[in-house]
Amino acid sequence: MHEKAYAQQCRAEEGRHTAATTRVRHRGRVVFALALGTFAIGTGEFGSNGIIQLFSSGLGVSVPVAAYAITAYAFGVVIGSPAITLLAARVNRRTLLLGLMLYALAVPRTTRALEPMRATVSSRSR
């Protein structure tokens, strides 16, 4: 299944680029951007393990229970990354990036904006 998606992605990329236009002008900037992205992802992935005691005390739960939240996040990454890769094999990369950024920015802000309404509704139902 992965090979089929990879082959489709390669065909799509070959159709958009020719050998003459794929020359990288600023190789150092590209490597720096990739290194910075890798550092940011690694910090996000492993940084929570270092502050798990603060995390658990802030939530008022035990450390093992707080570890379940980190485990759930890890499962989301393990399942979500390949799923997005397979589902977005034929999507233009710029469109995909903008869509994922919009989703990542809009969903948390929308849920946070609706939070006071949820608290009001839940307090009336008691």
Side-chain angles (χ1 to χ4, degrees), residues 71-106:
T71 304
Y73 172 75
F75 276 128
V77 171
V78 166
I79 294 168
S81 297
I84 289 172
T85 302
L86 290 174
L87 293 173
R90 293 185 177 184
V91 178
N92 181 323
R93 297 295 170 249
R94 183 173 292 160
T95 305
L96 177 65
L97 179 63
L98 290 173
L100 290 174
M101 286 176 56
L102 178 67
Y103 175 79
L105 293 173

Side-chain angles (χ1 to χ4, degrees), residues 16-39:
R16 284 192 278 172
H17 300 289
T18 64
T21 63
T22 58
R23 190 173 144 249
V24 178
R25 293 182 190 168
H26 304 286
R27 190 173 302 272
R29 290 183 185 175
V30 171
V31 171
F32 177 74
L34 289 172
L36 186 64
T38 302
F39 176 75

Side-chain angles (χ1 to χ4, degrees), residues 56-73:
S56 66
S57 66
L59 291 175
V61 297
S62 65
V63 173
V65 172
Y68 290 143
I70 296 171
T71 304
Y73 172 75

